[in-house]
Amino acid sequence: MSAALARAGRVALVPALAIFSALAVGGLIIVVSDSTALRDWSSFVANPGRALSTSWDVVSGAYGALFRTSLGGRRAISETLLEATPLVLTGLSVTFAFRAGLFNIGGDGQFLAGALTSVYVGFSLDIPAALHLPLALAAGVAAGALWGGIAGVLKARTGAHEVITTIMLNFVALRLVDYALSTDVFRRTGRSDPISKQVLETARLPRFSDDLRVHAGLVLALVTAYGVWWLLFRSTTGFRVRAVGASPSAARYAGMAVGGTWVLSMLVAGGLAGLAGATTVLGVRFSLTGGFSNLGFDAIALALLGRSHPAGVVAAALLFGVLRAGATGMAAEASTPVDIIVVIQALVIVFVAAPSLIRSVYRIGAGRGTGPVAFSSSWGS
Amino acid sequence: MRVELRGITKRFPGVVANADVDLEVDGGQVLALLGENGAGKSTLMNVLFGLYEPDGGEILLDGSPVRFASPAASIAAGIGMVHQHFMLVPVFSVLENVMLGVETTTRLGGLDRRAARARLVELSAAYNLQVDPDADVEDLSVGAQQRVEILKALYRQADCLILDEPTAVLTPPEIDDLFRIITTLTESGRSVIFISHKLGEVRRIADRITVLRRGEVVGTTTPAESSEADLAALMVGREVQLVVDKSPARPGQPVLRVEGLRVLDERGVAVVDGVSFEVAAGEIVAVAGVQGNGQTELVEALAGLRAVDAGTVHLDGEDVTGLQPRRLLERGMAHVPEDRQRDGVVGAFPVRDNLVLNTFRRRPFARGLRIDRRAIRDNASRLMADFDIRAASPEVAAATLSGGNQQKVIVAREFGHADRLLIAAQPTRGLDVGSIQYIHRRIVDKRDEGAAVLLVSTELDEVLALADRVIVVFRGHIVGTVPRADATRDHLGLLMAGATA
């Protein structure tokens, strides 16, 4: 057990240092973007103490607000977990496909396909909750799986690169949602803007407490993360998926159906992103409006940060949840621009993607088990 | 240039790749570095080439100690290396490849192709390295690509040339060419370090031979002093027999029956055409031929990996033409693929998973969807002991194993389910004597257990050592079927060159 912990510690070392570095560089940017701090720095020679103390105040004020609104109190934590819920699922989606050697850039399209279908089932059927909610969730998963599966079939049958097809399918889904929201079937009665009808009470995910927004989708996401881990690392299906991902030719020679595995993996990946869409409309929003959620793109970063491992993805999703939930508080309390959060997220990714940079900055050796997960090696192959 | 290595030690986590190695070569000499796969030859040369920094010992060039922090430093000091896997840019021309990294420029900053070409042509002529400067490297034969690599080294004014397994990829006439080139190089005063595990070649070309075993020098000798058997004994640490002990075959019922087989390559050309033969239980049939006469496509078609254009394949009387590899596996067929790194193992997977790469769905390795990790581990421990697979643990990635040990992983896996038919394509290519013997022994054992064995090999020694019957292929046709008793080297050689029986 302690060996396993030590291994986990080694694996987490680089991401942890990357987060720290990103916050440090983010702090510099906060200082530079603050007019008072800049003014004090311009008179640094005359009064170095003031420049430093102002900078400290600005940075600690911003980060204090960030962590207070994301971790200080049960409502704050609830918001963080709420943000993390769909990120866990889309992160798992990218991870699963990646283990099969595929880049699923289509998380957003699959998310929308899932959300649209779940919303439809959610508002159109009048059946008891015991049936309604599972049916609405299942419909979202199925639609996402279908949307992902298209890319899988195209890849297996024609060799069309999944990066291209999933990106294109994103736009198809986007416009499909726009169109659906303009029809009487979906558009809320009496509204002219694109917003769907409300999901009925019977199809909504239950909340943990009346005054908190975090909902049962979180439990679903965590159980799914365990399920994906089991499927990948403890099942024959996962063995096949990982073999195909690591060496399609050896997998083929060993009698595995490479194309079939691609299709299966894209079905699963799409289903996971579809579930993210379903939990979002059934748990928080209760209706659907147009536009990308960007959760599918963030998911690529999550999978990278989480080293394509379900446990890592959950941890990374929680981190991003903290940043997202804290961003609004930081803007309100410390008047630091929300954009700084996007910058910090991007910096985390840059530092994680360049482990040797972190290693040289912090002078740590290239430990075993933390070898590069070559996430970007087969782009465009 | 005189190159000396003194007491070189290089450790990797868990292994000592080189232990206190001494080695020297004079200008105008060829030193052969002989050793099994994994004996530490490549590591030692990577130290000399500046890729690795040694943990101990020193390098002397013409008597003065040097330290190489990078290959650039080593190249600047006059060391040139031709790697086993060529370091060429396929879409660049020969001239561009040779210039790459040491471009001469005109006053305006453009590439001075004219000057570079003049030097290249001069070098080609001086060392008889014929190659068209404007040809794209991807269009060249392997032998010609090797000449480009040598030219690259000479262009960088190499005084000592390291050739890492240079003959592994060459045809016999290309090998003769290479040896002529090496002689020209030494006549010009350069020193050559020739890395190989092929005893015959080493004795032919070397002035002196240093033998490595498990990272240590076990002997330095000359071709005149040592026979092939002596060298082999030094290399593997025991007397070796280059002949396989086997009783006459007792063929039973036909297992594999191929009739009128036609197979197309990627361009749609029939590279196997009208091929018919049988392999019976308890016999080894060898398909001999020069590489590229349809053997690869024949094997792929038999193994269900390539479409059959015409003809039929029967396994134990059942028509299995066009069946998926997995179905053939279930019927007792095993396949040792020709390209072991690409097709035989998943490099990123641990050895234990590679050992069940095509049986992981079956009991005891899986129960339904669930994988039994204990059964997989037990299987790995057993096979690693049985097949003498040398890896630090079953958990290490297959990619970190030497070629011989990778092949043993594949053989251990495939032989486990080769109940009816074993197809072994180039099973010992690139392996050391110890591994070759071991795998040959196992193939004969498989035959004696009653399996039908189809061996595809371009090495006549291997064909003659193992086969009970020899089929010779030429340009996709069978040009002769020879019982082992009538098969002589000369006779088979004639057939392989296309003479009709």
Side-chain angles (χ1 to χ4, degrees):
Chain A
M1 191 62 208
S2 64
L5 276 178
R7 188 171 177 279
R10 275 201 307 275
V11 171
L13 182 62
V14 168
L17 289 173
I19 292 159
F20 176 76
S21 311
L23 288 174
V25 177
L28 288 178
I29 296 171
I30 290 172
V31 170
V32 171
S33 63
D34 188 281
S35 52
T36 324
L38 269 191
R39 199 192 55 224
D40 290 348
W41 275 100
S42 63
S43 55
F44 177 78
V45 182
N47 193 345
R50 196 175 63 183
L52 289 172
S53 75
T54 315
S55 303
W56 172 255
D57 289 347
V58 170
V59 174
S60 62
Y63 282 153
L66 170 73
F67 289 113
R68 242 186 339 275
T69 21
S70 59
L71 298 169
R74 55 195 283 277
R75 188 182 297 266
I77 290 173
S78 158
E79 288 302 301
T80 295
L81 295 176
L82 184 71
E83 293 283 355
T85 300
L87 285 172
V88 168
L89 292 167
T90 50
L92 290 171
S93 168
V94 174
T95 293
F96 197 92
F98 180 65
R99 287 285 178 176
L102 301 172
F103 286 98
N104 179 21
I105 317 292
D108 274 294
Q110 295 145 17
F111 180 97
L112 283 175
L116 184 70
T117 317
S118 282
V119 137
Y120 178 76
V121 174
F123 69 66
S124 63
L125 297 183
D126 188 12
I127 49 175
L131 271 174
H132 201 178
L133 177 59
L135 199 64
L137 286 170
V141 172
L146 177 76
W147 214 249
I150 294 172
V153 170
L154 287 174
K155 167 108 178 172
R157 281 287 171 82
T158 69
H161 202 295
E162 75 282 0
V163 168
I164 308 296
T165 54
T166 53
I167 289 175
M168 292 307 142
L169 282 166
N170 281 343
F171 292 108
V172 177
L174 181 72
R175 295 305 166 207
L176 199 64
V177 167
D178 283 351
Y179 169 74
L181 292 179
S182 74
T183 63
D184 289 340
V185 183
F186 278 90
R187 193 172 55 212
R188 197 175 296 178
T189 328
R191 291 285 289 265
S192 56
D193 54 328
I195 185 163
S196 77
K197 291 168 180 153
Q198 283 251 321
V199 171
L200 299 173
E201 290 290 341
T202 45
R204 294 187 181 182
L205 283 158
R207 291 179 174 178
F208 297 107
S209 162
D210 284 341
D211 61 334
L212 298 179
R213 293 209 296 162
V214 65
H215 54 82
L218 175 68
V219 179
L220 211 55
L222 294 178
V223 170
T224 306
Y226 176 81
V228 166
W229 171 83
W230 191 88
L231 195 62
L232 275 176
F233 297 104
R234 290 292 181 270
S235 78
T236 54
T237 307
F239 190 99
R240 177 158 64 100
V241 166
R242 289 184 294 118
V244 166
S247 172
S249 56
R252 193 168 85 94
Y253 272 64
M256 303 179 197
V258 174
T261 306
W262 282 338
V263 174
L264 173 83
S265 302
M266 282 310 293
L267 282 171
V268 172
L272 289 164
L275 181 59
T279 57
T280 302
V281 293
L282 302 176
V284 221
R285 303 226 199 111
F286 308 125
S287 62
L288 182 64
T289 52
F292 280 136
S293 62
N294 270 329
L295 289 162
F297 292 118
D298 284 355
I300 299 163
L302 283 172
L304 172 60
L305 187 56
R307 296 181 156 267
S308 314
H309 190 284
V313 166
V314 170
L318 289 174
L319 169 75
F320 275 39
V322 166
L323 295 176
R324 284 174 159 232
T328 45
M330 195 169 79
E333 286 184 37
S335 64
T336 306
V338 178
D339 301 326
I340 200 76
I341 289 300
V342 181
V343 173
I344 291 173
Q345 281 186 5
L347 285 170
V348 170
I349 302 310
V350 169
F351 283 121
V352 168
S356 53
L357 182 64
I358 287 289
R359 286 182 198 290
S360 65
V361 168
Y362 295 97
R363 299 182 188 281
I364 45 178
R368 280 184 168 259
T370 56
V373 176
F375 202 95
S376 52
S377 65
S378 49
W379 277 97
S381 68
Chain B
M1 182 166 62
R2 177 178 168 81
V3 177
E4 248 183 296
L5 301 182
R6 279 194 200 148
I8 295 287
T9 299
K10 177 67 194 171
R11 294 185 198 89
F12 290 111
V15 277
V16 181
N18 293 139
D20 198 18
V21 172
D22 293 333
L23 181 150
E24 52 181 87
V25 55
D26 269 326
Q29 264 198 347
V30 178
L31 172 79
L33 192 55
L34 185 69
E36 290 193 290
N37 293 309
K41 309 181 297 273
S42 294
T43 305
L44 187 66
M45 288 304 108
N46 284 333
V47 166
L48 176 56
F49 192 55
L51 280 166
Y52 295 147
E53 213 163 330
D55 297 312
E58 56 177 354
I59 302 169
L60 294 96
L61 299 185
D62 284 331
S64 43
V66 287
R67 283 179 73 92
F68 297 139
S70 68
S74 164
I75 290 168
I79 309 278
M81 183 153 177
V82 176
H83 293 270
Q84 192 175 355
H85 303 286
F86 301 146
M87 309 283 175
L88 297 170
V89 184
V91 295
F92 276 19
S93 73
V94 169
L95 179 64
E96 285 164 337
N97 266 287
V98 169
M99 290 173 75
L100 194 64
V102 288
E103 302 90 348
T104 43
T105 48
T106 60
R107 220 168 310 156
L108 291 172
L111 288 177
D112 191 353
R113 285 164 180 276
R114 192 194 303 246
R117 176 193 300 272
R119 266 197 67 202
L120 178 62
V121 170
E122 189 190 320
L123 285 170
S124 300
Y127 296 98
N128 200 18
L129 290 154
Q130 283 147 10
V131 54
D132 171 9
D134 298 312
D136 283 343
V137 160
E138 62 186 351
D139 299 331
L140 297 181
S141 71
V142 176
Q145 291 190 21
Q146 190 172 59
R147 291 198 290 275
V148 177
E149 280 281 15
I150 295 172
L151 276 168
K152 245 172 81 182
L154 294 175
Y155 191 85
R156 286 158 180 72
Q157 296 170 329
D159 249 346
C160 169
L161 238 87
I162 306 167
L163 305 173
D164 188 3
E165 307 265 359
T167 59
V169 289
L170 300 184
T171 60
E174 284 176 325
I175 293 175
D176 292 339
D177 281 344
L178 175 69
F179 283 6
R180 272 193 291 277
I181 292 164
I182 291 177
T183 312
T184 326
L185 289 171
T186 49
E187 278 167 1
S188 73
R190 289 179 171 80
S191 47
V192 172
I193 301 179
F194 181 94
I195 305 176
S196 182
H197 53 250
K198 291 187 181 164
L199 307 172
E201 287 170 6
V202 161
R203 289 193 68 240
R204 232 178 97 191
I205 192 73
D207 296 302
R208 291 189 324 120
I209 303 166
T210 294
V211 185
L212 277 184
R213 187 166 79 230
R214 291 173 183 254
E216 291 174 46
V217 173
V218 289
T220 293
T221 174
T222 62
E225 291 166 26
S226 304
S227 69
E228 283 187 30
D230 295 338
L231 290 174
L234 269 177
M235 221 165 110
V236 300
R238 58 181 181 269
E239 292 290 331
V240 289
Q241 248 179 314
L242 290 166
V243 192
V244 184
D245 246 348
K246 68 181 175 64
S247 53
R250 283 191 296 273
Q253 290 294 312
V255 173
L256 176 69
R257 206 172 78 233
V258 178
E259 274 168 27
L261 192 70
R262 187 168 72 215
V263 186
L264 309 181
D265 69 3
E266 281 71 19
R267 300 163 298 166
V269 177
V271 283
V272 175
D273 203 358
V275 164
S276 305
F277 63 91
E278 283 187 357
V279 186
E283 74 166 341
I284 299 173
V285 172
V287 175
V290 176
Q291 193 177 356
N293 277 288
Q295 298 100 315
T296 304
E297 291 81 4
L298 171 66
V299 169
E300 284 180 351
L302 294 180
L305 293 159
R306 184 179 282 272
V308 170
D309 190 53
T312 57
V313 180
H314 283 80
L315 188 64
D316 281 322
E318 182 194 3
D319 187 349
V320 295
T321 320
L323 239 49
Q324 294 297 314
R326 194 174 156 190
R327 305 289 162 235
L328 294 167
L329 196 96
E330 286 163 0
R331 286 163 174 76
M333 180 200 280
H335 173 207
V336 176
E338 183 179 329
D339 187 337
R340 76 180 72 98
Q341 284 194 355
R342 196 189 65 191
D343 302 325
V345 292
V346 177
F349 268 26
V351 170
R352 68 171 146 81
D353 287 352
N354 272 297
L355 285 168
V356 294
L357 205 58
N358 47 21
T359 49
F360 68 97
R361 286 190 191 84
R362 298 184 189 170
R363 277 172 175 276
F365 307 127
R367 268 168 240 270
L369 197 60
R370 182 195 180 84
I371 276 189
D372 189 334
R373 304 204 316 144
R374 174 182 294 261
I376 289 175
R377 267 199 301 269
D378 291 348
N379 176 66
S381 324
R382 188 170 53 78
L383 289 180
M384 284 175 73
D386 278 6
F387 285 82
D388 190 29
I389 298 166
R390 289 183 204 154
S393 89
E395 313 295 322
V396 301
T400 64
L401 267 55
S402 68
N405 280 304
Q406 281 182 0
Q407 187 72 340
K408 283 181 189 170
V409 168
I410 297 165
V411 165
R413 177 182 75 218
E414 297 299 325
F415 280 31
H417 56 85
D419 303 321
R420 300 303 303 150
L421 173 65
L422 170 67
I423 301 177
Q426 316 292 355
T428 60
R429 178 185 281 173
L431 301 191
D432 54 77
V433 178
S435 302
I436 292 174
Q437 276 192 313
Y438 187 84
I439 288 168
H440 281 179
R441 184 72 254 156
R442 288 282 181 165
I443 290 175
V444 172
D445 288 348
K446 208 69 217 174
R447 175 200 77 169
D448 292 343
E449 287 166 23
V453 179
L454 183 70
L455 169 79
V456 177
S457 180
T458 50
E459 307 246 350
L460 264 188
D461 289 332
E462 179 160 78
V463 167
L464 292 171
L466 288 178
D468 299 312
R469 207 145 53 83
V470 183
I471 293 172
V472 183
V473 291
F474 181 72
R475 293 191 182 156
H477 300 283
I478 292 179
V479 289
T481 302
V482 189
R484 175 63 187 92
D486 306 341
T488 60
R489 191 174 291 269
D490 293 342
H491 182 40
L492 292 181
L494 270 176
L495 288 173
M496 282 163 71
T500 40

